[in-house]
Amino acid sequence: MIGTTTRSLSEAVEQAVAALDFERVRKDYWEQNEFVVIERFLSQTIVEQSLIPRAEHLKPKLNRNYIPGHKKGGSVSYYTVLEEAPEFLDLYRSPAFIDFLSRLVDARLMLCPDNDPHSCALYYYTEPGDHIGFHYDTSYYKGARYTILMGLVDKSESCRLVYQLYKGDPARETKELQLTTRPGDMVIFNGDKLWHAVTPLGEGEERVALTMEYVTNQEMGRFKRIYSNLKDAFAYFGLRALWKRSAETRHE
């Protein structure tokens, strides 16, 4: 049997939210231009018993991608998570978790539509040189998009999340920092504001992270949807995800 029961994971999420010093987290989030790190949001026990086994189970399903000069790695889309990894959805859809995030960012957050393969996905760094260059998690929706990144596997001394705080703010000095995302650590940020990258993986190393996306508006313009589809197909999840997304769109 893989993982824990839905009830136990849901309860763990509720307890983790209740245990937070919300005012401190909120203060840090806004002082850092809508970015905050919460160490050990979920306990190592919960992550090791429930989430990591599912991440290992999904590893054969990952889509490897390579864009010269920008990224190399593997991804598992929301569609596969939906079919085979309900534990991740227990976290993503948790009412207590969504309420916490909404209060943190001062907006009513919603799940991404079911035709968005990024909404709850896994990213695997499993081969030497796996990385992603600097980028924003740009929102193509008619509103803001927020990224929640949770560490699952971190067996690396070289593969790190690198980010620049206050980039583009003429009133503040840009700060470049590196972060290790240990199992259960959580990073929350506004996708349009954090310039970030992941440094290359070393020989014999591995890093796996879960990302969850929330939006303030589930609508997306036609041309931005086409661009988003193509980007997802070639840079992340493969043509199968594009076909799946197109089929979902036709039934909206």
Side-chain angles (χ1 to χ4, degrees):
M1 180 179 178
I2 299 176
T4 59
T5 65
T6 298
R7 180 177 177 82
S8 63
L9 183 56
S10 297
E11 288 176 346
V13 174
E14 292 174 5
Q15 291 169 3
V17 169
L20 291 174
D21 182 344
F22 177 77
E23 292 305 323
R24 181 189 63 80
V25 173
R26 177 181 166 80
K27 179 174 180 290
D28 290 345
Y29 175 80
W30 287 102
E31 285 185 351
Q32 296 178 137
N33 195 28
E34 296 195 66
F35 168 88
V36 71
V37 179
I38 302 175
E39 296 182 351
R40 302 297 190 191
F41 172 74
L42 289 180
S43 72
Q44 185 172 350
T45 299
I46 287 291
V47 175
E48 290 181 349
Q49 290 183 354
S50 182
L51 302 183
I52 292 177
R54 278 297 182 186
E56 291 295 323
H57 173 71
L58 293 177
K59 191 181 294 185
K61 305 294 180 71
L62 67 82
N63 179 73
R64 295 286 308 177
N65 46 76
Y66 174 55
I67 300 177
H70 179 59
K71 77 185 297 287
K72 175 177 174 287
S75 310
V76 169
S77 78
Y78 169 72
Y79 307 133
T80 303
V81 171
L82 185 64
E83 294 171 354
E84 301 192 31
E87 290 86 349
F88 296 118
L89 299 181
D90 292 339
L91 172 58
Y92 179 56
R93 296 171 174 172
S94 165
F97 190 56
I98 297 172
D99 176 69
F100 154 67
L101 295 172
S102 296
R103 289 186 291 121
L104 179 68
V105 307
D106 282 344
R108 188 175 73 85
L109 298 188
M110 297 176 281
L111 305 176
C112 291
D114 278 343
N115 63 353
D116 187 337
H118 280 284
S119 58
C120 183
L122 289 97
Y123 299 91
Y124 294 77
Y125 302 80
T126 55
E127 296 182 359
D130 281 358
H131 72 287
I132 185 168
F134 275 102
H135 65 286
Y136 292 105
D137 286 359
T138 304
S139 175
Y140 298 110
Y141 289 94
K142 296 179 179 180
R145 185 175 77 165
Y146 296 84
T147 297
I148 289 76
L149 183 153
M150 179 172 289
L152 297 179
V153 176
D154 186 4
K155 300 177 181 177
S156 173
E157 296 297 325
S158 57
C159 193
R160 297 285 184 263
L161 176 67
V162 183
Y163 57 97
Q164 294 183 3
L165 293 181
Y166 316 122
K167 179 177 171 60
D169 185 346
R172 308 189 73 168
E173 180 183 358
T174 300
K175 294 183 179 180
E176 181 166 306
L177 302 167
Q178 290 195 13
L179 180 66
T180 300
T181 49
R182 300 171 301 176
D185 287 357
M186 185 167 66
V187 182
I188 304 169
F189 59 91
N190 183 323
D192 287 319
K193 293 190 176 182
L194 189 71
W195 186 243
H196 62 287
V198 175
T199 54
L201 190 76
E203 188 75 36
E205 298 182 338
E206 182 180 19
R207 178 178 181 269
V208 183
L210 167 71
T211 66
M212 298 170 285
E213 306 285 352
Y214 298 88
V215 294
T216 57
N217 188 325
Q218 294 179 326
E219 296 181 3
M220 185 183 295
R222 179 182 177 186
F223 293 106
K224 286 190 175 181
R225 183 181 293 279
I226 292 172
Y227 178 79
S228 182
N229 283 352
L230 293 172
K231 177 179 66 69
D232 290 345
F234 292 102
Y236 291 96
F237 306 114
L239 289 173
R240 183 179 178 183
L242 174 61
W243 296 331
K244 172 73 174 178
R245 184 169 179 171
S246 297
E248 294 285 351
T249 301
R250 287 196 297 270
H251 289 87
E252 287 179 353

